Amino acid sequence: MENLKDEFKQTEKMLYDYKYIDSKINILQFKLEKLRDDITVSGLDYSKDKISSTNSFNSVVENETIARDSGEIKIIDQEIKNLQYQKKLIDMSLPLLEEEEQQLVKLRYFSKDKKTWVNIAAEMNMTSDNCIKIRRRIIDKLQSYLV
């Protein structure tokens, strides 16, 4: 029973977070671009670094920086992929809902300002109790696809 409650909350959180996914992806892509630019711009300062006879054109510090930044790049890349996956999963799941259920999802979860059940009920011409029942039905339908 506790597991079902957690899945319900997880599904609802995914729906609430949906409206921010594109912004999060854009921010992460911007950070990624900055990291990649920092790596490509970094180079040797021939006036300070000694050049070895092995023709190695890098320094220990430079190698460590690139390795660190490469690790960060992998982490950010994975975060972007996870967000894209989450968004696509929700987009693909929404058509499984009836039109009335889709409207409730948009009003409750996708609007910038979280609307009360009374406001949603008024917009949908039904009672708030009925909206809450529909919400339960929506989460039950989506839960198996999203969690």
Side-chain angles (χ1 to χ4, degrees), residues 8-147:
F8 184 93
K9 287 179 182 180
Q10 276 183 291
T11 304
E12 237 187 357
K13 182 175 179 352
M14 284 180 77
L15 291 172
Y16 279 125
D17 290 348
Y18 179 85
K19 62 186 164 239
Y20 303 114
I21 290 176
D22 287 332
S23 294
K24 288 178 180 179
I25 289 171
N26 288 337
I27 290 167
L28 289 170
Q29 286 173 335
F30 181 74
K31 286 181 173 183
L32 202 56
E33 189 178 305
K34 172 91 170 86
L35 266 176
R36 286 190 173 129
D37 285 348
D38 286 349
I39 289 174
T40 56
V41 170
S42 68
L44 277 178
D45 181 354
Y46 293 103
S47 64
K48 294 180 184 172
D49 285 346
K50 291 183 179 178
I51 307 278
S52 68
S53 59
T54 62
N55 296 326
S56 177
F57 292 102
N58 54 18
S59 67
V60 173
V61 173
E62 194 173 26
N63 288 340
E64 288 175 7
T65 302
I66 290 171
R68 184 204 65 218
D69 290 346
S70 294
E72 286 181 50
I73 286 172
K74 286 177 185 173
I75 290 168
I76 293 173
D77 258 339
Q78 191 57 51
E79 283 181 58
I80 290 171
K81 286 177 186 170
N82 290 343
L83 288 168
Q84 290 169 333
Y85 173 79
Q86 183 177 343
K87 184 176 184 347
K88 186 156 183 107
L89 202 57
I90 293 169
D91 288 340
M92 292 171 66
S93 300
L94 289 178
L96 301 171
L97 302 175
E98 296 170 22
E99 194 173 314
E100 183 179 67
E101 294 168 333
Q102 288 181 24
Q103 184 183 2
L104 190 137
V105 167
K106 288 174 185 160
L107 291 172
R108 180 67 178 185
Y109 301 106
F110 296 173
S111 64
K112 286 289 181 190
D113 299 321
K114 186 177 173 186
K115 297 183 179 192
T116 65
W117 288 115
V118 174
N119 292 345
I120 294 169
E123 284 190 50
M124 294 183 69
N125 296 322
M126 58 178 66
T127 67
S128 56
D129 286 342
N130 198 20
C131 285
I132 293 169
K133 287 177 189 173
I134 293 170
R135 166 190 171 232
R136 178 81 226 177
R137 192 170 67 219
I138 290 166
I139 301 300
D140 286 343
K141 281 183 181 181
L142 296 180
Q143 202 165 293
S144 61
Y145 299 105
L146 300 181
V147 180

